[in-house]
Amino acid sequence: MRFSELTPIQLNVISQSYVYSNSQDRPHLHDWQIDWRLLYTLVNDNSEQLLEVKAGLAEDWVRTHGTVWDVTQGFHRRPNDSYDYDDTVFWGYSSWATPAIVVTFADEREAAFALYTHGMDYNYHYLGYGQLD
């Protein structure tokens, strides 16, 4: 599979005034999670063209993303490990936002894509289900 087959997406930053104080304030629009199997396939099929892949929620990217793969380490055991410096909290599922990935290609171009499927699984299944359970 190629990245050109995915839907490009814009990343947004929620202003402080829109941060929900508790789960009851959040709208429930859908149940979308990162498509872990597709993510694994994309990385394996295109790894020679990649520097880094991050995943998170497009509508609140700054606070929800984490590195899932890079050219040095390969797949990260967890998106938020000591390798990340920006103190974010990774989210791979949302009832209101769009799970997405940001890819840094070998030529240093960056692109963001929606990458979700129906579900509520926010665990880290980049290596396939059962691999990290």
PDB file of all heavy atoms in Angstrom, residues 36 39 51-56 61 64-86 88-90 102 104 124 126:
ATOM      1  N   TRP A  36      -4.524   0.078  13.175  1.00  0.00           N
ATOM      2  CA  TRP A  36      -3.212  -0.474  13.508  1.00  0.00           C
ATOM      3  C   TRP A  36      -2.672  -1.383  12.420  1.00  0.00           C
ATOM      4  O   TRP A  36      -1.485  -1.358  12.108  1.00  0.00           O
ATOM      5  CB  TRP A  36      -3.277  -1.217  14.839  1.00  0.00           C
ATOM      6  CG  TRP A  36      -3.702  -0.351  15.960  1.00  0.00           C
ATOM      7  CD1 TRP A  36      -4.881  -0.422  16.652  1.00  0.00           C
ATOM      8  CD2 TRP A  36      -2.972   0.738  16.540  1.00  0.00           C
ATOM      9  NE1 TRP A  36      -4.921   0.551  17.612  1.00  0.00           N
ATOM     10  CE2 TRP A  36      -3.761   1.277  17.568  1.00  0.00           C
ATOM     11  CE3 TRP A  36      -1.727   1.307  16.278  1.00  0.00           C
ATOM     12  CZ2 TRP A  36      -3.352   2.343  18.343  1.00  0.00           C
ATOM     13  CZ3 TRP A  36      -1.312   2.384  17.048  1.00  0.00           C
ATOM     14  CH2 TRP A  36      -2.124   2.888  18.073  1.00  0.00           C
ATOM     15  N   LEU A  39      -1.553   0.727   9.496  1.00  0.00           N
ATOM     16  CA  LEU A  39      -0.324   1.424   9.872  1.00  0.00           C
ATOM     17  C   LEU A  39       0.878   0.496   9.727  1.00  0.00           C
ATOM     18  O   LEU A  39       1.900   0.862   9.142  1.00  0.00           O
ATOM     19  CB  LEU A  39      -0.429   1.952  11.303  1.00  0.00           C
ATOM     20  CG  LEU A  39       0.821   2.590  11.882  1.00  0.00           C
ATOM     21  CD1 LEU A  39       1.216   3.830  11.106  1.00  0.00           C
ATOM     22  CD2 LEU A  39       0.590   2.933  13.340  1.00  0.00           C
ATOM     23  N   LEU A  51      11.444   8.465   7.346  1.00  0.00           N
ATOM     24  CA  LEU A  51      12.294   8.809   8.484  1.00  0.00           C
ATOM     25  C   LEU A  51      11.554   8.589   9.795  1.00  0.00           C
ATOM     26  O   LEU A  51      12.126   8.120  10.774  1.00  0.00           O
ATOM     27  CB  LEU A  51      12.751  10.269   8.402  1.00  0.00           C
ATOM     28  CG  LEU A  51      13.738  10.625   7.310  1.00  0.00           C
ATOM     29  CD1 LEU A  51      14.062  12.119   7.353  1.00  0.00           C
ATOM     30  CD2 LEU A  51      15.014   9.793   7.441  1.00  0.00           C
ATOM     31  N   GLU A  52      10.242   8.947   9.821  1.00  0.00           N
ATOM     32  CA  GLU A  52       9.492   8.880  11.069  1.00  0.00           C
ATOM     33  C   GLU A  52       7.994   8.844  10.785  1.00  0.00           C
ATOM     34  O   GLU A  52       7.521   9.423   9.814  1.00  0.00           O
ATOM     35  CB  GLU A  52       9.815  10.110  11.923  1.00  0.00           C
ATOM     36  CG  GLU A  52       9.162  10.131  13.277  1.00  0.00           C
ATOM     37  CD  GLU A  52       9.610  11.334  14.079  1.00  0.00           C
ATOM     38  OE1 GLU A  52       9.325  12.473  13.652  1.00  0.00           O
ATOM     39  OE2 GLU A  52      10.228  11.130  15.131  1.00  0.00           O
ATOM     40  N   VAL A  53       7.254   8.167  11.684  1.00  0.00           N
ATOM     41  CA  VAL A  53       5.791   8.149  11.626  1.00  0.00           C
ATOM     42  C   VAL A  53       5.281   8.427  13.035  1.00  0.00           C
ATOM     43  O   VAL A  53       5.701   7.777  13.995  1.00  0.00           O
ATOM     44  CB  VAL A  53       5.249   6.789  11.132  1.00  0.00           C
ATOM     45  CG1 VAL A  53       3.731   6.798  11.116  1.00  0.00           C
ATOM     46  CG2 VAL A  53       5.811   6.444   9.760  1.00  0.00           C
ATOM     47  N   LYS A  54       4.393   9.413  13.136  1.00  0.00           N
ATOM     48  CA  LYS A  54       3.739   9.736  14.403  1.00  0.00           C
ATOM     49  C   LYS A  54       2.255   9.500  14.240  1.00  0.00           C
ATOM     50  O   LYS A  54       1.718   9.580  13.128  1.00  0.00           O
ATOM     51  CB  LYS A  54       3.992  11.188  14.804  1.00  0.00           C
ATOM     52  CG  LYS A  54       5.439  11.458  15.128  1.00  0.00           C
ATOM     53  CD  LYS A  54       5.653  12.861  15.623  1.00  0.00           C
ATOM     54  CE  LYS A  54       7.121  13.029  15.999  1.00  0.00           C
ATOM     55  NZ  LYS A  54       7.334  14.206  16.827  1.00  0.00           N
ATOM     56  N   ALA A  55       1.565   9.218  15.341  1.00  0.00           N
ATOM     57  CA  ALA A  55       0.123   9.006  15.321  1.00  0.00           C
ATOM     58  C   ALA A  55      -0.506   9.824  16.440  1.00  0.00           C
ATOM     59  O   ALA A  55       0.130  10.116  17.452  1.00  0.00           O
ATOM     60  CB  ALA A  55      -0.204   7.528  15.501  1.00  0.00           C
ATOM     61  N   GLY A  56      -1.764  10.199  16.253  1.00  0.00           N
ATOM     62  CA  GLY A  56      -2.495  10.968  17.256  1.00  0.00           C
ATOM     63  C   GLY A  56      -3.839  11.396  16.699  1.00  0.00           C
ATOM     64  O   GLY A  56      -4.337  10.820  15.737  1.00  0.00           O
ATOM     65  N   TRP A  61      -3.698  17.707  17.720  1.00  0.00           N
ATOM     66  CA  TRP A  61      -2.431  17.032  17.446  1.00  0.00           C
ATOM     67  C   TRP A  61      -1.360  17.306  18.493  1.00  0.00           C
ATOM     68  O   TRP A  61      -0.677  16.397  18.962  1.00  0.00           O
ATOM     69  CB  TRP A  61      -1.926  17.416  16.059  1.00  0.00           C
ATOM     70  CG  TRP A  61      -0.699  16.659  15.692  1.00  0.00           C
ATOM     71  CD1 TRP A  61       0.586  17.108  15.721  1.00  0.00           C
ATOM     72  CD2 TRP A  61      -0.632  15.293  15.284  1.00  0.00           C
ATOM     73  NE1 TRP A  61       1.448  16.108  15.340  1.00  0.00           N
ATOM     74  CE2 TRP A  61       0.723  14.983  15.064  1.00  0.00           C
ATOM     75  CE3 TRP A  61      -1.593  14.302  15.082  1.00  0.00           C
ATOM     76  CZ2 TRP A  61       1.139  13.714  14.661  1.00  0.00           C
ATOM     77  CZ3 TRP A  61      -1.172  13.043  14.667  1.00  0.00           C
ATOM     78  CH2 TRP A  61       0.177  12.771  14.470  1.00  0.00           C
ATOM     79  N   THR A  64      -1.815  15.154  21.599  1.00  0.00           N
ATOM     80  CA  THR A  64      -2.209  13.738  21.524  1.00  0.00           C
ATOM     81  C   THR A  64      -1.306  12.857  20.671  1.00  0.00           C
ATOM     82  O   THR A  64      -1.586  11.677  20.527  1.00  0.00           O
ATOM     83  CB  THR A  64      -3.643  13.607  20.959  1.00  0.00           C
ATOM     84  OG1 THR A  64      -3.665  14.077  19.603  1.00  0.00           O
ATOM     85  CG2 THR A  64      -4.641  14.365  21.802  1.00  0.00           C
ATOM     86  N   HIS A  65      -0.242  13.372  20.110  1.00  0.00           N
ATOM     87  CA  HIS A  65       0.562  12.555  19.202  1.00  0.00           C
ATOM     88  C   HIS A  65       1.725  11.862  19.908  1.00  0.00           C
ATOM     89  O   HIS A  65       2.126  12.251  20.997  1.00  0.00           O
ATOM     90  CB  HIS A  65       1.102  13.400  18.049  1.00  0.00           C
ATOM     91  CG  HIS A  65       2.238  14.290  18.454  1.00  0.00           C
ATOM     92  ND1 HIS A  65       2.046  15.485  19.088  1.00  0.00           N
ATOM     93  CD2 HIS A  65       3.575  14.124  18.338  1.00  0.00           C
ATOM     94  CE1 HIS A  65       3.226  16.039  19.328  1.00  0.00           C
ATOM     95  NE2 HIS A  65       4.168  15.224  18.889  1.00  0.00           N
ATOM     96  N   GLY A  66       2.229  10.838  19.264  1.00  0.00           N
ATOM     97  CA  GLY A  66       3.403  10.121  19.743  1.00  0.00           C
ATOM     98  C   GLY A  66       4.106   9.463  18.577  1.00  0.00           C
ATOM     99  O   GLY A  66       3.496   9.148  17.558  1.00  0.00           O
ATOM    100  N   THR A  67       5.395   9.249  18.705  1.00  0.00           N
ATOM    101  CA  THR A  67       6.175   8.585  17.665  1.00  0.00           C
ATOM    102  C   THR A  67       5.919   7.084  17.737  1.00  0.00           C
ATOM    103  O   THR A  67       6.087   6.476  18.790  1.00  0.00           O
ATOM    104  CB  THR A  67       7.678   8.868  17.843  1.00  0.00           C
ATOM    105  OG1 THR A  67       7.882  10.277  17.808  1.00  0.00           O
ATOM    106  CG2 THR A  67       8.505   8.195  16.761  1.00  0.00           C
ATOM    107  N   VAL A  68       5.536   6.487  16.613  1.00  0.00           N
ATOM    108  CA  VAL A  68       5.293   5.044  16.582  1.00  0.00           C
ATOM    109  C   VAL A  68       6.382   4.292  15.824  1.00  0.00           C
ATOM    110  O   VAL A  68       6.559   3.100  16.032  1.00  0.00           O
ATOM    111  CB  VAL A  68       3.898   4.708  16.013  1.00  0.00           C
ATOM    112  CG1 VAL A  68       2.809   5.233  16.931  1.00  0.00           C
ATOM    113  CG2 VAL A  68       3.714   5.224  14.616  1.00  0.00           C
ATOM    114  N   TRP A  69       7.100   4.986  14.949  1.00  0.00           N
ATOM    115  CA  TRP A  69       8.170   4.346  14.185  1.00  0.00           C
ATOM    116  C   TRP A  69       9.175   5.407  13.756  1.00  0.00           C
ATOM    117  O   TRP A  69       8.796   6.532  13.439  1.00  0.00           O
ATOM    118  CB  TRP A  69       7.597   3.667  12.936  1.00  0.00           C
ATOM    119  CG  TRP A  69       8.603   2.912  12.124  1.00  0.00           C
ATOM    120  CD1 TRP A  69       8.917   1.600  12.246  1.00  0.00           C
ATOM    121  CD2 TRP A  69       9.441   3.421  11.075  1.00  0.00           C
ATOM    122  NE1 TRP A  69       9.904   1.257  11.341  1.00  0.00           N
ATOM    123  CE2 TRP A  69      10.233   2.374  10.599  1.00  0.00           C
ATOM    124  CE3 TRP A  69       9.597   4.680  10.500  1.00  0.00           C
ATOM    125  CZ2 TRP A  69      11.162   2.523   9.578  1.00  0.00           C
ATOM    126  CZ3 TRP A  69      10.525   4.848   9.478  1.00  0.00           C
ATOM    127  CH2 TRP A  69      11.291   3.770   9.029  1.00  0.00           C
ATOM    128  N   ASP A  70      10.450   5.055  13.757  1.00  0.00           N
ATOM    129  CA  ASP A  70      11.456   5.917  13.131  1.00  0.00           C
ATOM    130  C   ASP A  70      12.548   5.056  12.533  1.00  0.00           C
ATOM    131  O   ASP A  70      12.672   3.868  12.848  1.00  0.00           O
ATOM    132  CB  ASP A  70      12.006   6.988  14.071  1.00  0.00           C
ATOM    133  CG  ASP A  70      12.848   6.452  15.194  1.00  0.00           C
ATOM    134  OD1 ASP A  70      13.573   5.450  15.006  1.00  0.00           O
ATOM    135  OD2 ASP A  70      12.799   7.037  16.289  1.00  0.00           O
ATOM    136  N   VAL A  71      13.334   5.661  11.660  1.00  0.00           N
ATOM    137  CA  VAL A  71      14.347   4.942  10.898  1.00  0.00           C
ATOM    138  C   VAL A  71      15.458   4.394  11.796  1.00  0.00           C
ATOM    139  O   VAL A  71      16.087   3.390  11.466  1.00  0.00           O
ATOM    140  CB  VAL A  71      14.916   5.832   9.768  1.00  0.00           C
ATOM    141  CG1 VAL A  71      15.770   6.950  10.327  1.00  0.00           C
ATOM    142  CG2 VAL A  71      15.665   5.017   8.746  1.00  0.00           C
ATOM    143  N   THR A  72      15.696   4.987  12.951  1.00  0.00           N
ATOM    144  CA  THR A  72      16.752   4.551  13.860  1.00  0.00           C
ATOM    145  C   THR A  72      16.318   3.382  14.735  1.00  0.00           C
ATOM    146  O   THR A  72      17.022   2.384  14.860  1.00  0.00           O
ATOM    147  CB  THR A  72      17.182   5.717  14.784  1.00  0.00           C
ATOM    148  OG1 THR A  72      17.452   6.848  13.990  1.00  0.00           O
ATOM    149  CG2 THR A  72      18.405   5.347  15.583  1.00  0.00           C
ATOM    150  N   GLN A  73      15.142   3.495  15.335  1.00  0.00           N
ATOM    151  CA  GLN A  73      14.675   2.528  16.326  1.00  0.00           C
ATOM    152  C   GLN A  73      13.685   1.514  15.763  1.00  0.00           C
ATOM    153  O   GLN A  73      13.472   0.475  16.365  1.00  0.00           O
ATOM    154  CB  GLN A  73      14.028   3.297  17.488  1.00  0.00           C
ATOM    155  CG  GLN A  73      13.578   2.452  18.642  1.00  0.00           C
ATOM    156  CD  GLN A  73      13.068   3.307  19.780  1.00  0.00           C
ATOM    157  OE1 GLN A  73      13.540   4.418  20.002  1.00  0.00           O
ATOM    158  NE2 GLN A  73      12.089   2.808  20.502  1.00  0.00           N
ATOM    159  N   GLY A  74      13.058   1.811  14.638  1.00  0.00           N
ATOM    160  CA  GLY A  74      11.974   0.959  14.154  1.00  0.00           C
ATOM    161  C   GLY A  74      10.709   1.280  14.926  1.00  0.00           C
ATOM    162  O   GLY A  74      10.489   2.429  15.332  1.00  0.00           O
ATOM    163  N   PHE A  75       9.876   0.268  15.165  1.00  0.00           N
ATOM    164  CA  PHE A  75       8.649   0.498  15.923  1.00  0.00           C
ATOM    165  C   PHE A  75       8.981   0.779  17.382  1.00  0.00           C
ATOM    166  O   PHE A  75       9.777   0.071  17.984  1.00  0.00           O
ATOM    167  CB  PHE A  75       7.722  -0.721  15.837  1.00  0.00           C
ATOM    168  CG  PHE A  75       7.013  -0.834  14.524  1.00  0.00           C
ATOM    169  CD1 PHE A  75       7.472  -1.686  13.538  1.00  0.00           C
ATOM    170  CD2 PHE A  75       5.880  -0.074  14.274  1.00  0.00           C
ATOM    171  CE1 PHE A  75       6.826  -1.789  12.321  1.00  0.00           C
ATOM    172  CE2 PHE A  75       5.221  -0.165  13.061  1.00  0.00           C
ATOM    173  CZ  PHE A  75       5.695  -1.018  12.082  1.00  0.00           C
ATOM    174  N   HIS A  76       8.370   1.787  17.923  1.00  0.00           N
ATOM    175  CA  HIS A  76       8.552   2.122  19.335  1.00  0.00           C
ATOM    176  C   HIS A  76       7.636   1.235  20.165  1.00  0.00           C
ATOM    177  O   HIS A  76       6.510   0.974  19.773  1.00  0.00           O
ATOM    178  CB  HIS A  76       8.193   3.591  19.593  1.00  0.00           C
ATOM    179  CG  HIS A  76       9.193   4.536  19.015  1.00  0.00           C
ATOM    180  ND1 HIS A  76       9.702   5.584  19.720  1.00  0.00           N
ATOM    181  CD2 HIS A  76       9.796   4.591  17.800  1.00  0.00           C
ATOM    182  CE1 HIS A  76      10.559   6.247  18.969  1.00  0.00           C
ATOM    183  NE2 HIS A  76      10.626   5.660  17.792  1.00  0.00           N
ATOM    184  N   ARG A  77       8.126   0.816  21.278  1.00  0.00           N
ATOM    185  CA  ARG A  77       7.321  -0.030  22.171  1.00  0.00           C
ATOM    186  C   ARG A  77       6.071   0.723  22.625  1.00  0.00           C
ATOM    187  O   ARG A  77       5.002   0.166  22.730  1.00  0.00           O
ATOM    188  CB  ARG A  77       8.164  -0.435  23.373  1.00  0.00           C
ATOM    189  CG  ARG A  77       7.449  -1.327  24.318  1.00  0.00           C
ATOM    190  CD  ARG A  77       7.652  -2.775  23.950  1.00  0.00           C
ATOM    191  NE  ARG A  77       6.974  -3.614  24.919  1.00  0.00           N
ATOM    192  CZ  ARG A  77       6.341  -4.704  24.583  1.00  0.00           C
ATOM    193  NH1 ARG A  77       6.294  -5.098  23.343  1.00  0.00           N
ATOM    194  NH2 ARG A  77       5.758  -5.436  25.500  1.00  0.00           N
ATOM    195  N   ARG A  78       6.214   2.007  22.905  1.00  0.00           N
ATOM    196  CA  ARG A  78       5.100   2.873  23.281  1.00  0.00           C
ATOM    197  C   ARG A  78       5.315   4.219  22.581  1.00  0.00           C
ATOM    198  O   ARG A  78       6.447   4.648  22.399  1.00  0.00           O
ATOM    199  CB  ARG A  78       5.068   3.103  24.783  1.00  0.00           C
ATOM    200  CG  ARG A  78       4.954   1.818  25.577  1.00  0.00           C
ATOM    201  CD  ARG A  78       4.168   2.031  26.843  1.00  0.00           C
ATOM    202  NE  ARG A  78       4.104   0.895  27.733  1.00  0.00           N
ATOM    203  CZ  ARG A  78       3.598  -0.281  27.482  1.00  0.00           C
ATOM    204  NH1 ARG A  78       3.152  -0.555  26.293  1.00  0.00           N
ATOM    205  NH2 ARG A  78       3.547  -1.228  28.373  1.00  0.00           N
ATOM    206  N   PRO A  79       4.223   4.903  22.224  1.00  0.00           N
ATOM    207  CA  PRO A  79       4.377   6.195  21.533  1.00  0.00           C
ATOM    208  C   PRO A  79       5.033   7.270  22.398  1.00  0.00           C
ATOM    209  O   PRO A  79       5.713   8.132  21.882  1.00  0.00           O
ATOM    210  CB  PRO A  79       2.951   6.601  21.191  1.00  0.00           C
ATOM    211  CG  PRO A  79       2.153   5.363  21.299  1.00  0.00           C
ATOM    212  CD  PRO A  79       2.841   4.491  22.289  1.00  0.00           C
ATOM    213  N   ASN A  80       4.811   7.252  23.699  1.00  0.00           N
ATOM    214  CA  ASN A  80       5.381   8.248  24.588  1.00  0.00           C
ATOM    215  C   ASN A  80       6.453   7.595  25.442  1.00  0.00           C
ATOM    216  O   ASN A  80       6.190   7.086  26.520  1.00  0.00           O
ATOM    217  CB  ASN A  80       4.315   8.865  25.500  1.00  0.00           C
ATOM    218  CG  ASN A  80       3.263   9.583  24.712  1.00  0.00           C
ATOM    219  OD1 ASN A  80       2.160   9.096  24.565  1.00  0.00           O
ATOM    220  ND2 ASN A  80       3.612  10.729  24.177  1.00  0.00           N
ATOM    221  N   ASP A  81       7.657   7.590  24.938  1.00  0.00           N
ATOM    222  CA  ASP A  81       8.759   7.055  25.720  1.00  0.00           C
ATOM    223  C   ASP A  81       9.816   8.142  25.869  1.00  0.00           C
ATOM    224  O   ASP A  81       9.607   9.280  25.455  1.00  0.00           O
ATOM    225  CB  ASP A  81       9.333   5.782  25.094  1.00  0.00           C
ATOM    226  CG  ASP A  81       9.887   6.010  23.691  1.00  0.00           C
ATOM    227  OD1 ASP A  81      10.118   7.166  23.287  1.00  0.00           O
ATOM    228  OD2 ASP A  81      10.090   5.019  23.002  1.00  0.00           O
ATOM    229  N   SER A  82      10.925   7.814  26.426  1.00  0.00           N
ATOM    230  CA  SER A  82      11.940   8.837  26.693  1.00  0.00           C
ATOM    231  C   SER A  82      12.501   9.441  25.402  1.00  0.00           C
ATOM    232  O   SER A  82      13.140  10.483  25.432  1.00  0.00           O
ATOM    233  CB  SER A  82      13.080   8.242  27.516  1.00  0.00           C
ATOM    234  OG  SER A  82      13.630   7.137  26.811  1.00  0.00           O
ATOM    235  N   TYR A  83      12.227   8.824  24.282  1.00  0.00           N
ATOM    236  CA  TYR A  83      12.684   9.355  23.000  1.00  0.00           C
ATOM    237  C   TYR A  83      11.952  10.653  22.657  1.00  0.00           C
ATOM    238  O   TYR A  83      12.503  11.534  22.039  1.00  0.00           O
ATOM    239  CB  TYR A  83      12.438   8.294  21.928  1.00  0.00           C
ATOM    240  CG  TYR A  83      12.950   8.647  20.566  1.00  0.00           C
ATOM    241  CD1 TYR A  83      14.297   8.501  20.247  1.00  0.00           C
ATOM    242  CD2 TYR A  83      12.097   9.113  19.577  1.00  0.00           C
ATOM    243  CE1 TYR A  83      14.767   8.811  18.991  1.00  0.00           C
ATOM    244  CE2 TYR A  83      12.563   9.422  18.317  1.00  0.00           C
ATOM    245  CZ  TYR A  83      13.904   9.273  18.033  1.00  0.00           C
ATOM    246  OH  TYR A  83      14.356   9.576  16.787  1.00  0.00           O
ATOM    247  N   ASP A  84      10.679  10.749  23.057  1.00  0.00           N
ATOM    248  CA  ASP A  84       9.893  11.964  22.803  1.00  0.00           C
ATOM    249  C   ASP A  84      10.204  13.014  23.860  1.00  0.00           C
ATOM    250  O   ASP A  84      10.343  12.714  25.036  1.00  0.00           O
ATOM    251  CB  ASP A  84       8.396  11.668  22.813  1.00  0.00           C
ATOM    252  CG  ASP A  84       7.871  11.279  21.448  1.00  0.00           C
ATOM    253  OD1 ASP A  84       8.471  11.692  20.455  1.00  0.00           O
ATOM    254  OD2 ASP A  84       6.861  10.568  21.396  1.00  0.00           O
ATOM    255  N   TYR A  85      10.281  14.259  23.443  1.00  0.00           N
ATOM    256  CA  TYR A  85      10.667  15.340  24.336  1.00  0.00           C
ATOM    257  C   TYR A  85       9.516  16.292  24.663  1.00  0.00           C
ATOM    258  O   TYR A  85       9.660  17.187  25.460  1.00  0.00           O
ATOM    259  CB  TYR A  85      11.775  16.171  23.683  1.00  0.00           C
ATOM    260  CG  TYR A  85      11.320  16.787  22.371  1.00  0.00           C
ATOM    261  CD1 TYR A  85      10.701  18.023  22.340  1.00  0.00           C
ATOM    262  CD2 TYR A  85      11.474  16.096  21.173  1.00  0.00           C
ATOM    263  CE1 TYR A  85      10.249  18.567  21.148  1.00  0.00           C
ATOM    264  CE2 TYR A  85      11.036  16.645  19.992  1.00  0.00           C
ATOM    265  CZ  TYR A  85      10.423  17.872  19.977  1.00  0.00           C
ATOM    266  OH  TYR A  85       9.977  18.400  18.814  1.00  0.00           O
ATOM    267  N   ASP A  86       8.380  16.129  24.022  1.00  0.00           N
ATOM    268  CA  ASP A  86       7.376  17.194  24.045  1.00  0.00           C
ATOM    269  C   ASP A  86       6.227  16.997  25.025  1.00  0.00           C
ATOM    270  O   ASP A  86       5.254  17.721  24.986  1.00  0.00           O
ATOM    271  CB  ASP A  86       6.840  17.457  22.644  1.00  0.00           C
ATOM    272  CG  ASP A  86       6.373  16.189  21.963  1.00  0.00           C
ATOM    273  OD1 ASP A  86       6.288  15.134  22.631  1.00  0.00           O
ATOM    274  OD2 ASP A  86       6.103  16.254  20.757  1.00  0.00           O
ATOM    275  N   THR A  88       3.651  15.052  25.467  1.00  0.00           N
ATOM    276  CA  THR A  88       2.287  14.838  25.009  1.00  0.00           C
ATOM    277  C   THR A  88       1.747  13.553  25.602  1.00  0.00           C
ATOM    278  O   THR A  88       2.498  12.742  26.142  1.00  0.00           O
ATOM    279  CB  THR A  88       2.226  14.734  23.471  1.00  0.00           C
ATOM    280  OG1 THR A  88       3.029  13.636  23.066  1.00  0.00           O
ATOM    281  CG2 THR A  88       2.690  16.003  22.813  1.00  0.00           C
ATOM    282  N   VAL A  89       0.457  13.352  25.506  1.00  0.00           N
ATOM    283  CA  VAL A  89      -0.184  12.118  25.946  1.00  0.00           C
ATOM    284  C   VAL A  89      -0.840  11.495  24.718  1.00  0.00           C
ATOM    285  O   VAL A  89      -1.778  12.046  24.167  1.00  0.00           O
ATOM    286  CB  VAL A  89      -1.234  12.382  27.041  1.00  0.00           C
ATOM    287  CG1 VAL A  89      -1.929  11.092  27.429  1.00  0.00           C
ATOM    288  CG2 VAL A  89      -0.585  13.030  28.244  1.00  0.00           C
ATOM    289  N   PHE A  90      -0.310  10.375  24.267  1.00  0.00           N
ATOM    290  CA  PHE A  90      -0.792   9.736  23.047  1.00  0.00           C
ATOM    291  C   PHE A  90      -2.231   9.260  23.183  1.00  0.00           C
ATOM    292  O   PHE A  90      -2.615   8.681  24.190  1.00  0.00           O
ATOM    293  CB  PHE A  90       0.103   8.546  22.706  1.00  0.00           C
ATOM    294  CG  PHE A  90      -0.426   7.739  21.560  1.00  0.00           C
ATOM    295  CD1 PHE A  90      -0.288   8.198  20.260  1.00  0.00           C
ATOM    296  CD2 PHE A  90      -1.089   6.546  21.776  1.00  0.00           C
ATOM    297  CE1 PHE A  90      -0.784   7.474  19.194  1.00  0.00           C
ATOM    298  CE2 PHE A  90      -1.582   5.811  20.723  1.00  0.00           C
ATOM    299  CZ  PHE A  90      -1.430   6.278  19.434  1.00  0.00           C
ATOM    300  N   VAL A 102       1.252  11.381  10.946  1.00  0.00           N
ATOM    301  CA  VAL A 102       2.116  12.326  10.242  1.00  0.00           C
ATOM    302  C   VAL A 102       3.359  11.559   9.864  1.00  0.00           C
ATOM    303  O   VAL A 102       3.998  10.922  10.701  1.00  0.00           O
ATOM    304  CB  VAL A 102       2.470  13.548  11.112  1.00  0.00           C
ATOM    305  CG1 VAL A 102       3.562  14.373  10.452  1.00  0.00           C
ATOM    306  CG2 VAL A 102       1.239  14.398  11.353  1.00  0.00           C
ATOM    307  N   THR A 104       7.114  11.603   8.082  1.00  0.00           N
ATOM    308  CA  THR A 104       8.265  12.348   7.590  1.00  0.00           C
ATOM    309  C   THR A 104       8.995  11.411   6.634  1.00  0.00           C
ATOM    310  O   THR A 104       9.473  10.343   7.030  1.00  0.00           O
ATOM    311  CB  THR A 104       9.202  12.776   8.737  1.00  0.00           C
ATOM    312  OG1 THR A 104       8.456  13.516   9.696  1.00  0.00           O
ATOM    313  CG2 THR A 104      10.348  13.627   8.195  1.00  0.00           C
ATOM    314  N   TYR A 124      -1.508   0.055  21.761  1.00  0.00           N
ATOM    315  CA  TYR A 124      -0.433   0.256  20.794  1.00  0.00           C
ATOM    316  C   TYR A 124      -0.205  -1.005  19.977  1.00  0.00           C
ATOM    317  O   TYR A 124       0.664  -1.798  20.275  1.00  0.00           O
ATOM    318  CB  TYR A 124       0.864   0.638  21.524  1.00  0.00           C
ATOM    319  CG  TYR A 124       0.632   1.550  22.692  1.00  0.00           C
ATOM    320  CD1 TYR A 124       0.967   1.153  23.972  1.00  0.00           C
ATOM    321  CD2 TYR A 124       0.059   2.789  22.506  1.00  0.00           C
ATOM    322  CE1 TYR A 124       0.760   1.989  25.047  1.00  0.00           C
ATOM    323  CE2 TYR A 124      -0.152   3.637  23.576  1.00  0.00           C
ATOM    324  CZ  TYR A 124       0.202   3.227  24.838  1.00  0.00           C
ATOM    325  OH  TYR A 124      -0.006   4.052  25.895  1.00  0.00           O
ATOM    326  N   TYR A 126       0.957  -1.533  16.791  1.00  0.00           N
ATOM    327  CA  TYR A 126       1.639  -1.311  15.516  1.00  0.00           C
ATOM    328  C   TYR A 126       2.197  -2.586  14.942  1.00  0.00           C
ATOM    329  O   TYR A 126       2.415  -2.684  13.752  1.00  0.00           O
ATOM    330  CB  TYR A 126       2.827  -0.353  15.606  1.00  0.00           C
ATOM    331  CG  TYR A 126       2.921   0.504  16.793  1.00  0.00           C
ATOM    332  CD1 TYR A 126       3.924   0.316  17.712  1.00  0.00           C
ATOM    333  CD2 TYR A 126       2.015   1.513  16.977  1.00  0.00           C
ATOM    334  CE1 TYR A 126       4.036   1.125  18.800  1.00  0.00           C
ATOM    335  CE2 TYR A 126       2.110   2.331  18.060  1.00  0.00           C
ATOM    336  CZ  TYR A 126       3.117   2.139  18.975  1.00  0.00           C
ATOM    337  OH  TYR A 126       3.207   2.935  20.050  1.00  0.00           O
TER     338      TYR A 126
END
